[in-house]
Amino acid sequence: MQIGIVGLPNVGKTTLFNALTRGHAKVERYPFTTIEPNIGVVKVPDERLAKLKELIGAEEVTPATIKFLDIAGLVEGASKGQGLGNRFLAKIREVEAIIHIVRCFPDPNIAHITPDLNPIRDIEIINLELALADLEIIEKRREKIKKDPEAKEELKLLGRVAESLSKGEPPELNKEEREILKGYHLLSLKPTLYIANLGEEEEVPEDLKKYNAIGICAQLESEMQELPEEERAHFRAELGIGEMGLKKLIRESYRLLSLITFFTLERKKLRAWTLEEGRNVREAAGRIHSDMEKGFIKAEVINYSDLIQIGSLFSSEARKQGSRVKREAFLSQAREKGLLKIEGKDYKVREGDIITIKFRV
Ligand SMILES: Nc1nc2c(ncn2[C@@H]2O[C@H](COP(=O)(O)OP(=O)(O)OP(=O)(O)O)[C@@H](O)[C@H]2O)c(=O)[nH]1
Ligand SMILES: [Mg+2]
């Protein structure tokens, strides 16, 4: 999964990026620090992986990952070439989701691009720029197909989309229309997670609730990443801040995008994968390898919660055996109890399914 980070200049985008990726990308007190995009990959924390590893005796564990892209700040007029932003908007057209970070911390030492702190207005500035950048793409396409008799439907749809975007509003679309527009990679249609970058004292402002914004203190999160693990927990407790911001943010991203996690176990390799909710097991196979999707025969599926349940019944003696024996014994127990099921291509993958794909090459 790829997520792009957008916002006005100097609002803490790179600070958040560094906190997320444990990176050391340049952060400065002045706007337009970021020019070339920062790219970082984060492992999705998932406690189930450690439990599965221990139970099944996996030797190699690969968590799911999210790639974050931190681009230059956008300003009013970015879509018309102001600032640096527009050049880099293209970089985030391919991402699946957007994190829109808005400044809510009052620090007078950090310049803000507008004279006062007004998060709602700031959000609207960015959203308008994204909409205008999309509008440009739509207009180009309209121009290209305006004489094509076969493109009447598309033209009509594009006309309606253009009208909403020029008002800075995201168009209302049904599933089919979304499908048609997919190839345009419109920024305004991407699921967006709003983050209020708070000072140490602030809470998420009331009027940001309509954006379902989540509050994070990017500065603190980023400083905390520098501490050793044990100290971090202690520090969080002392400051009275809850779970790690990164975890919260990733969880929210999954919820926002209706994403689930499934697992595969091949030989001794345990791996977590991300999938959109509602996809079938054949599509899941495609995430692993296109050959698996093409040659799909069937899948063996057991859910994490069921496996854990059998695990607790598993004798400690068997646990001491080699991993191969252990895994086989495990699976035969699961089969006996009817928990390991054989599923066809239409089976809808559930959160926490552990899947073995049988396929023809
Ligand atoms: N007080 C305070 N300062 C912060 C916070 N987050 C970021 N800053 C400061 O704000 C300044 C800008 O931070 P950056 O992370 O570089 O902001 P940016 O959005 O990436 O900026 P550009 O790349 O220039 O668009 C730096 O001096 C940060 O230390 C915060 O939560 N509180
Ligand atoms: Mg930056």
Side-chain angles (χ1 to χ4, degrees), residues 126-136 164-166 168-169 188:
I126 297 293
N127 284 347
L128 181 63
E129 290 309 318
L130 298 180
L132 293 177
D134 285 344
L135 191 60
E136 211 179 297
S164 311
L165 290 179
S166 56
E169 290 167 8
S188 323

Side-chain angles (χ1 to χ4, degrees), residues 158-308:
L158 293 185
R160 190 155 63 78
V161 173
E163 198 186 320
S164 311
L165 290 179
S166 56
K167 284 187 261 170
E169 290 167 8
E172 280 192 27
L173 302 163
N174 62 33
K175 222 174 146 191
E176 253 167 63
E177 293 167 335
R178 276 182 183 271
E179 214 38 56
I180 299 173
L181 294 172
K182 226 179 183 170
Y184 300 141
H185 302 292
L186 298 181
L187 298 164
S188 323
L189 295 184
K190 292 192 194 292
T192 302
L193 179 64
Y194 291 90
I195 302 231
N197 190 11
L198 306 173
E200 287 178 30
E201 308 288 318
E202 280 77 32
E203 301 213 346
V204 178
E206 204 49 43
D207 52 358
L208 279 190
K209 300 243 160 96
K210 72 171 178 187
Y211 288 100
N212 293 319
I214 61 170
I216 277 186
C217 183
Q219 179 105 334
L220 209 60
E221 294 286 346
S222 141
E223 282 165 8
M224 219 129 44
Q225 292 295 355
E226 304 291 320
L227 299 174
E229 188 104 27
E230 324 76 71
E231 272 178 53
R232 248 183 269 160
H234 177 71
F235 198 51
R236 294 194 92 84
E238 204 153 81
L239 287 171
I241 35 180
E243 68 174 336
M244 194 170 94
L246 167 61
K247 265 194 195 165
K248 182 159 107 184
L249 197 141
I250 289 178
R251 205 185 48 231
E252 283 301 310
S253 307
Y254 268 62
R255 196 183 51 77
L256 174 82
L257 296 164
S258 306
L259 293 173
I260 59 169
T261 303
F262 74 92
F263 303 100
T264 54
L265 180 66
E266 282 303 324
R267 292 185 200 96
K268 287 169 188 168
K269 294 180 183 165
L270 171 66
R271 184 158 177 180
W273 304 82
T274 307
L275 187 73
E276 299 80 28
E277 209 175 81
R279 299 272 178 183
N280 63 41
V281 71
R282 191 165 170 261
E283 291 171 305
R287 287 301 147 88
I288 306 166
H289 201 288
S290 55
D291 287 349
M292 286 189 164
E293 186 168 3
K294 273 188 231 136
F296 183 90
I297 303 170
K298 61 181 178 178
E300 267 190 344
V301 181
I302 181 167
N303 195 267
Y304 171 80
S305 54
D306 292 333
L307 194 67
I308 290 295

Side-chain angles (χ1 to χ4, degrees), residues 13-14 26 33-34 38 70-71:
K13 298 183 295 301
T14 304
K26 199 168 161 204
T33 303
T34 305
N38 298 308
D70 164 39
I71 61 166

